Amino acid sequence: MNRLWQETLAHLERTLTPQHFSTWIKSIHFVEIDKDLVILEVPNRFILDWVREHYIPIIRETLSQIGAVAYRVQLNIAQRKSPDTTPQVPSSPEIPPAPPARDSEPISREGCGAYGLNSKYTFEEFVSGSSNQFAFAAAMAVANNPATTYNPLFIYGGVGLGKTHLVNAVGNAIHKKNPEMRVCYYTSEKFMNELINSLRYAKMDEFRNKFRSMDVLLIDDVQFIAGKERTQEEFFHTFNALYESHKQIVVTSDKFPKEIPGLEERLRSRFEWGLIADIQSPDVETKQAILKMKAEQNGIFLPEDVTLFLANSVTSNVRELEGYLIRIGAYASLTSTPVTLAMVKEVLKDILVEKNRELTVEEIMKTVAAHYNVRVSDIKSSKRLKALVLPRQVAMYLSRQLTSCSYPEIGERFGGKDHSTIIHAIKKIEKQTEDDFQLRSTINTIKNALTN
Ligand SMILES: Nc1ncnc2c1ncn2[C@@H]1O[C@H](COP(=O)(O)OP(=O)(O)OP(=O)(O)O)[C@@H](O)[C@H]1O
């Protein structure tokens, strides 16, 4: 590879988050330098558009920083797949050959179609903003090229932030474009219930045939199978069978794979094979856009000041936001009054009082403990176990951020610790979040759970 490009890559690797670097920059294949023109290739139109919009300016800037000031960059779509464009599938000696479906007849195409999808949830109805842009783009990429680029796609994020919507949008888009494909949406709970019934009525062959004949399997809220041994076992074999026959799998969860307590290691590692994309709480602009779209869909006229007020003052949970909107619409319709700021403040007054209440350190410890699946008493203790140190430091960090307590007061609540311990913990987390994408995202998820 050319030295200039190698230097550019090294520079980009230092400045971008590991996830962005490995998702986008690693998709770029260096072709050649022709005088002052750097020629690069990417595998498809989607990546081309994305890289062009988001990374070409950064690449140009990087080139000039390393001395190639007048260089131009040309980005093309590769004629054939270059070897380093598709995410590498780690060799997996431990994968048992997929247990063959006992009925080895070719799977009938009669059952093609979509199962369990909510047709309301489409890409067109999804508002994309900086908080969900990455997951949205990844979902679109999968919908455009199922089972080629990102497999599995793992979408995670806090409650009510659009995971179900997005995973259904993938299914709906694939079904629309490829009606001959079998696309199936299941919550993990439904998967488990069907498994239990199949075991009970000795219909396991049918169960296996059904899931292993899918072209696209969408599993929502996979965290619920954690700790359920038999379900995880069956899901593991379903996953392998589909993956090995190049079928698309999309999974959602409320947590990053590593943070799902009770999730088997072999499943966790498979979830990390493809692309992991997070959805964070929407910022004010995205909330405004969502409110406007939902108000229009529900025939509610929402003045600009009300939209801004709602986007600023209430929840980031989009499901709750929709609920408030419906409540406002119903009130306006029943009382035949227009929606005004004063009316909205009156209708939502209980919620607004609750939202404006300051969080307590105890609530923060409880939420952090639940996220990491540890006990509050352990967080308050002085045990130095690795599994406790991080949750404890995160809880201290959030206590400082989300309450008005001083360092000594926080120390007192954490089982009588010295204020210097609290300062040390906060500094440590601040430093770690600078380049640990996953930790940053986890802290945002916990914050979201606390402030909604
Ligand atoms: N960006 C968005 N644009 C439009 N609607 C959205 C967006 N995000 C969420 N919604 C809407 O909010 C509601 C809740 O979203 P959804 O059910 O997808 O959340 P979730 O992340 O799956 O929640 P849970 O963790 O509870 O399963 C849905 O009606 C969905 O259409």
Side-chain angles (χ1 to χ4, degrees):
M1 200 195 296
N2 175 281
R3 271 234 358 243
L4 184 64
W5 182 243
Q6 262 178 346
E7 265 185 61
T8 310
L9 284 184
H11 198 277
L12 290 171
E13 191 163 14
R14 283 196 301 275
T15 47
L16 298 173
T17 66
Q19 190 178 20
H20 289 183
F21 182 80
S22 69
T23 308
W24 303 109
I25 306 299
K26 277 196 175 165
S27 310
I28 303 173
H29 175 63
F30 172 80
V31 181
E32 60 171 340
I33 294 186
D34 182 7
K35 296 189 189 112
D36 61 351
L37 186 65
V38 181
I39 303 175
L40 307 171
E41 275 182 357
V42 287
N44 56 44
R45 157 87 26 207
F46 168 75
I47 297 184
L48 180 99
D49 291 343
W50 188 274
V51 170
R52 190 174 274 161
E53 190 180 339
H54 295 89
Y55 294 106
I56 290 297
I58 303 174
I59 293 174
R60 276 208 210 100
E61 168 80 26
T62 308
L63 281 167
S64 67
Q65 277 176 19
I66 57 178
V69 181
Y71 278 61
R72 293 168 302 131
V73 182
Q74 181 179 311
L75 197 60
N76 302 327
I77 298 177
Q79 289 307 310
R80 59 177 176 81
K81 250 186 190 174
S82 59
D84 47 356
T85 52
T86 348
Q88 290 295 302
V89 179
S91 62
S92 45
E94 87 277 28
I95 303 186
R102 214 177 282 166
D103 171 6
S104 56
E105 300 234 328
I107 291 148
S108 141
R109 302 309 302 167
E110 276 165 23
C112 63
Y115 298 84
L117 286 174
N118 184 336
S119 57
K120 243 178 47 191
Y121 292 155
T122 60
F123 286 124
E124 293 74 35
E125 303 281 314
F126 192 84
V127 177
S128 147
S130 57
S131 57
N132 56 32
Q133 195 179 29
F134 183 59
F136 181 72
M140 293 265 275
V142 165
N144 288 332
N145 294 297
T148 47
T149 325
Y150 305 123
N151 201 16
L153 171 63
F154 187 98
I155 301 174
Y156 77 98
V159 175
L161 297 184
K163 302 181 294 293
T164 301
H165 188 135
L166 216 44
V167 78
N168 272 277
V170 172
N172 283 317
I174 295 179
H175 176 58
K176 198 168 161 197
K177 244 171 96 181
N178 314 278
E180 76 290 355
M181 279 191 173
R182 290 178 174 188
V183 183
C184 164
Y185 167 89
Y186 259 68
T187 62
S188 66
E189 273 175 313
K190 193 160 175 239
F191 179 88
M192 185 171 77
N193 290 338
E194 241 182 79
L195 170 69
I196 294 169
N197 277 330
S198 305
L199 286 166
R200 189 156 152 213
Y201 298 109
K203 289 191 168 166
M204 278 311 289
D205 282 351
E206 221 173 275
F207 178 89
R208 288 183 180 134
N209 279 340
K210 173 176 167 178
F211 284 98
R212 292 171 199 184
S213 67
M214 293 300 162
D215 295 302
V216 180
L217 180 62
L218 313 163
I219 296 283
D220 204 2
D221 288 325
V222 80
Q223 73 274 8
F224 291 126
I225 68 167
K228 321 267 182 355
E229 211 178 302
R230 189 68 180 85
T231 311
Q232 293 199 68
E233 162 92 19
E234 202 50 47
F235 185 66
F236 172 73
H237 291 302
T238 305
F239 185 103
N240 288 340
L242 291 176
Y243 188 85
E244 282 166 15
S245 15
H246 306 285
K247 306 297 185 186
Q248 179 71 48
I249 303 154
V250 185
V251 172
T252 77
S253 163
D254 66 345
K255 291 187 185 75
F256 197 80
K258 257 194 207 102
E259 292 177 350
I260 303 176
L263 183 72
E264 279 183 13
E265 182 56 25
R266 56 186 185 166
L267 270 178
R268 185 194 62 69
S269 76
R270 271 155 188 77
F271 292 157
E272 290 177 356
W273 279 357
L275 178 66
I276 301 181
D278 69 320
I279 303 189
Q280 293 295 337
S281 309
D283 52 28
V284 173
E285 289 75 24
T286 312
K287 280 204 261 181
Q288 279 180 275
I290 294 174
L291 280 164
K292 279 184 186 158
M293 192 180 77
K294 303 275 176 189
E296 209 181 296
Q297 284 168 351
N298 289 290
I300 302 167
F301 175 72
L302 216 54
E304 201 61 37
D305 58 343
V306 172
T307 315
L308 190 63
F309 172 76
L310 287 173
N312 271 306
S313 344
V314 291
T315 180
S316 294
N317 175 328
V318 183
R319 186 181 298 112
E320 277 180 23
L321 210 56
E322 276 184 312
Y324 300 148
L325 192 63
I326 301 300
R327 198 193 288 194
I328 293 164
Y331 186 89
S333 150
L334 290 171
T335 57
S336 303
T337 47
V339 176
T340 61
L341 193 54
M343 180 263 244
V344 167
K345 285 184 178 169
E346 177 58 28
V347 173
L348 301 182
K349 64 175 185 279
D350 297 346
I351 294 150
L352 294 170
V353 168
E354 175 63 15
K355 293 283 164 202
N356 291 331
R357 182 180 65 82
E358 191 180 277
L359 283 166
T360 63
V361 171
E362 285 68 26
E363 282 170 308
I364 294 172
M365 286 195 272
K366 212 167 133 194
T367 308
V368 173
H371 183 92
Y372 285 101
N373 202 28
V374 295
R375 286 196 298 252
V376 172
S377 58
D378 284 335
I379 284 199
K380 285 166 97 170
S381 76
S382 300
K383 291 180 198 159
R384 303 290 309 155
L385 285 173
K386 205 172 157 217
L388 298 177
V389 173
L390 182 67
R392 184 179 299 136
Q393 290 179 336
V394 167
M396 289 172 173
Y397 169 82
L398 286 174
S399 297
R400 181 65 183 168
Q401 273 212 337
L402 303 176
T403 74
S404 53
C405 290
S406 63
Y407 295 124
E409 279 166 344
I410 297 174
E412 190 52 43
R413 304 284 206 319
F414 277 81
K417 296 197 171 49
D418 191 71
H419 74 283
S420 60
T421 310
I422 310 299
I423 295 174
H424 169 76
I426 293 168
K427 285 208 171 124
K428 183 110 187 286
I429 295 295
E430 277 170 354
K431 178 100 197 57
Q432 227 170 309
T433 46
E434 274 171 23
D435 38 35
D436 185 340
F437 164 80
Q438 190 197 322
L439 181 62
R440 244 187 353 249
S441 165
T442 298
I443 290 178
N444 272 333
T445 304
I446 299 173
K447 237 184 190 175
N448 188 27
L450 278 162
T451 50
N452 281 322

